[in-house]
Amino acid sequence: MARTARNSRLQTRTSRLKLPANQKLWQQIGPGMSLGYRRGKKSATWYSRIIHDNQAIQQSIGSADDLVDANGVDILTYYQAADAVRALADTSKMGVKPKEYTVADAVVAYLEWYKAHRKGVKQAQNTFNAHILPHFGRTPLASLTTKQINKWFEALPTRRAKLRSSTRLSNIKEDIDPRARKATANRTLSNLKAALNFAWRNEMVESDMAWRRVKPFRNVDQPRIRYLSIDETRRFINACDPDLRHIAQAALFTGCRYGELAALRVDDYNVDVKSIHIRDSKSGKPRNVPLNDDGIAYFSRIWAGRQSDEPMFTRTDGSPWSKSHQTRPTREACERAAIVPAIGFHILRHTYASQLVMAGAPLEVVSVVLGHSDTRITIRHYAHLAPSYVADVVRHALPTLGVVEKDNVVSLGHRAV
């Protein structure tokens, strides 16, 4: 067996843990072959780089034994990783090429990461299965071209969406609104780019230029936020059946998503600071939502005398609120309250945010209580409800330059001509 070159920075886990994160280091272990190492936030990876037919081929070969003992298969010591590089080099010489990653491989890797770090993986998976994998699944990442992606993307708005019961209203909207279909195409393109960028960052492909050149449709994504007026809000709550009324009132007092409310426990109401604690939000970060006087009175009433680990909201029969349980009761309440067009439960969150903004609440504050991962999301959805927002920011941020001379001239207005 060939002797492995020593490297004091890479050969022990103790020395590797002292290295900076996200920096790849290479050690040549033979002619045309090198072993690479990069440590991320939660794991570290070994890489091979093999020169074959005047081409440098890189790929990951396993995890480093920084935090878990090596097993010789997918968790390797420095010397085991070096042996794996030599084995790959031998197969290259025999004409066996290393794995050529496809778009399907990139999607699988991305969805595994998405499931561990984000919510809504099922929706993302459906998008890939319906619109992306049938066209690009078997395509090698290195073979993707800008022309190929552009042709697929520009045809997306012309394809009729599959009609599902859960998305019937949105599909009807897309049938009559070309702008909405282009907005959906933009979101599909974003999913594809996210998977391909993930593959590029993990060195499954050398360049991201093919998809970076593909641009989304312009001026189609401006949201049209629907919210209830004060009068509509009262009519809606009065029209709710007893099951829905409690959780709908909570949505109007907190701006929380349906799933967040369904997961609340009694002890998530902090009686001392008068706020609701959201343990697990869409962004993956917990947050606290302060309550106004109405919200305090409401939550104090339903909190009193209950066990701390009880669900905050249950249905009349004692069963928990689960996925889609709110859909039909919300639609029926809209019919009774004569709210046209009918709303979904999520519009109660928009109502909360819209009323805050129109009352003068800073968009940064609204962003925090809504749990948005970026204030740009809040600005994009609600800035139009605060016409003075941009002007207020400019006047507050722009310094006095001292270039205007002071005098005693008083303006008398424009002279009539």
Side-chain angles (χ1 to χ4, degrees):
M1 182 176 291
R3 197 171 193 178
T4 300
R6 291 181 175 273
N7 187 310
S8 60
R9 295 193 296 172
L10 296 179
Q11 63 192 48
T12 68
R13 65 171 68 175
T14 303
S15 58
R16 292 195 298 269
L17 289 173
K18 297 177 182 178
L19 297 173
N22 297 318
Q23 178 180 334
K24 187 177 289 185
L25 299 176
W26 291 97
Q27 171 63 52
Q28 186 173 358
I29 59 173
M33 65 184 85
S34 299
L35 171 64
Y37 169 85
R38 184 172 68 179
R39 180 166 61 85
K41 291 182 179 179
K42 297 183 179 180
S43 63
T45 305
W46 294 115
Y47 296 89
S48 68
R49 182 169 64 196
I50 299 168
I51 307 297
H52 181 67
D53 290 340
N54 295 321
Q55 269 192 318
I57 302 172
Q58 294 183 25
Q59 67 182 92
S60 62
I61 55 175
S63 299
D65 64 331
D66 290 13
L67 303 175
V68 181
D69 289 339
N71 57 21
V73 180
D74 58 343
I75 304 175
L76 309 173
T77 65
Y78 171 73
Y79 295 101
Q80 290 170 339
D83 290 341
V85 174
R86 292 193 190 92
L88 283 172
D90 289 340
T91 60
S92 296
K93 292 174 183 177
M94 291 186 294
V96 180
K97 294 183 178 179
K99 176 178 175 61
E100 188 173 39
Y101 289 102
T102 64
V103 173
D105 293 324
V107 169
V108 169
Y110 173 67
L111 288 176
E112 287 178 358
W113 173 88
Y114 196 104
K115 187 175 182 179
H117 296 85
R118 301 279 178 84
K119 289 191 173 184
V121 67
K122 186 66 175 178
Q123 184 176 358
Q125 194 169 32
N126 288 340
T127 299
F128 283 113
N129 290 340
H131 301 294
I132 296 172
L133 292 179
H135 298 271
F136 297 120
R138 297 181 180 179
T139 306
L141 292 173
S143 300
L144 276 175
T145 65
T146 302
K147 183 178 179 180
Q148 185 181 13
I149 300 173
N150 258 325
K151 183 178 179 181
W152 161 81
F153 173 60
E154 290 173 359
L156 275 178
T158 67
R159 299 193 182 104
R160 183 177 175 83
K162 293 180 179 179
L163 192 64
R164 302 182 183 91
S165 59
S166 61
T167 57
R168 187 168 296 160
L169 291 176
S170 63
N171 285 328
I172 291 173
K173 177 184 176 183
E174 289 187 8
D175 283 344
I176 62 176
D177 187 355
R179 182 175 171 274
R181 294 176 72 86
K182 288 184 177 181
T184 300
N186 281 353
R187 291 191 291 272
T188 304
L189 177 64
S190 294
N191 276 276
L192 174 62
K193 284 189 172 186
L196 297 178
N197 284 332
F198 184 83
W200 175 67
R201 288 194 299 270
N202 286 276
E203 299 187 339
M204 295 167 69
V205 63
E206 288 293 324
S207 172
D208 64 341
M209 193 57 68
W211 56 90
R212 194 197 303 179
R213 294 191 183 105
V214 180
K215 302 301 179 183
F217 295 113
R218 298 181 62 184
N219 303 320
V220 298
D221 288 319
Q222 184 62 35
R224 297 172 179 175
I225 297 300
R226 168 84 162 101
Y227 63 89
L228 298 180
S229 66
I230 298 296
D231 177 64
E232 288 177 320
T233 301
R234 290 171 179 156
R235 284 162 33 209
F236 175 80
I237 291 298
N238 290 334
C240 287
D241 61 33
D243 260 5
L244 183 66
R245 184 174 294 118
H246 284 304
I247 198 168
Q249 285 176 302
L252 291 166
F253 290 138
T254 63
C256 291
R257 301 175 179 91
Y258 170 74
E260 295 170 344
L261 294 170
L264 281 182
R265 300 188 319 207
V266 171
D267 63 352
D268 288 326
Y269 172 53
N270 189 321
V271 69
D272 295 320
V273 298
K274 305 296 189 285
S275 68
I276 295 296
H277 180 65
I278 305 300
R279 300 170 185 268
D280 189 14
S281 67
K282 183 178 179 180
S283 65
K285 299 178 181 178
R287 72 180 190 278
N288 291 301
V289 181
L291 300 169
N292 67 355
D293 290 342
D294 284 347
I296 293 169
Y298 170 74
F299 277 98
S300 295
R301 185 174 68 252
I302 65 173
W303 166 86
R306 299 176 63 189
Q307 297 293 325
S308 62
D309 59 349
E310 285 184 51
M312 181 75 79
F313 300 104
T314 57
R315 305 169 80 187
T316 303
D317 61 4
S319 62
W321 286 92
S322 299
K323 185 178 180 180
S324 300
H325 280 175
Q326 84 287 8
T327 304
R328 179 178 292 177
T330 302
R331 184 172 63 247
E332 292 172 349
C334 288
E335 291 175 0
R336 290 191 291 267
I339 293 176
V340 180
I343 65 164
F345 190 91
H346 196 73
I347 298 301
L348 302 181
R349 173 175 166 87
H350 289 317
T351 299
Y352 169 87
S354 299
Q355 296 295 345
L356 269 181
V357 172
M358 289 187 292
L363 292 180
E364 291 84 356
V365 172
V366 177
S367 178
V368 170
V369 295
L370 289 179
H372 285 163
S373 58
D374 194 318
T375 55
R376 288 177 296 181
I377 299 172
T378 317
I379 292 171
R380 179 171 171 263
H381 283 80
Y382 303 109
H384 67 286
L385 297 174
S388 64
Y389 174 72
V390 174
D392 289 344
V393 171
V394 170
R395 289 171 185 142
H396 176 75
L398 190 65
T400 300
L401 303 178
V403 295
V404 178
E405 297 180 2
K406 294 183 179 180
D407 53 38
N408 296 322
V409 176
V410 178
S411 175
L412 298 177
H414 295 290
R415 185 175 62 182
V417 178

